[in-house]
Amino acid sequence: MIVELGSAIGGLKTAVELVRGVAAADRALNEADLKLKLLGAVNEMVTAQMALVDARQAIDDRDAEIERLKEALAIKGSVVLVNSAYYMKNEDGRPTGHGYCMRCYEVESKLRHLAYGGTMMDNPVVCPTCGTKYVYAGVYPLE
């Protein structure tokens, strides 16, 4: 991001110098020289604009990552791992409710409910987002 901003500032300085050169030039400049200098200034401004767009994207990416980390920190103390799934803690600190995908929480810090295929012990429990399969006995709903 710093590199993009430095590049943008450098490009704008060069463009300003070229435009100042055109403005300060006397009538001795012919039309071709004038067009060449203006084209150089436009090129520098386009380069600077592209660098600013890259810097804006880097800032947006950084802000999104900060927001994701804030959300992850906010839920960290409210869940507990039991067998192969995470569960919300009740007021006593005990796990309760339906399980959340262990993979999604540990890799992406996202709480995603598991989809239960039925009540039979041989039916797998699946995360609808990442597709991770769990053995039902390891991720049953808790009361």
Side-chain angles (χ1 to χ4, degrees), residues 8-82:
I9 291 170
L12 290 174
K13 283 182 181 178
T14 303
V16 167
E17 289 171 11
L18 287 169
V19 171
R20 282 186 181 151
V22 169
D26 58 16
R27 299 249 182 223
L29 278 180
N30 63 30
E31 189 174 326
D33 289 337
L34 181 62
K35 286 183 180 180
L36 185 62
K37 287 187 182 284
L38 288 175
L39 184 61
V42 168
N43 186 40
E44 290 294 329
M45 286 189 272
V46 168
T47 301
Q49 182 182 17
M50 290 174 19
L52 288 172
V53 167
D54 290 344
R56 178 77 246 166
Q57 183 62 49
I59 290 169
D60 290 346
D61 291 347
R62 184 208 58 204
D63 290 348
E65 179 66 7
I66 289 170
E67 190 59 34
R68 185 190 72 76
L69 291 171
K70 281 181 182 178
E71 290 172 7
L73 187 60
I75 63 173
K76 185 173 177 76
S78 62
V79 295
V80 63
L81 179 65
V82 177

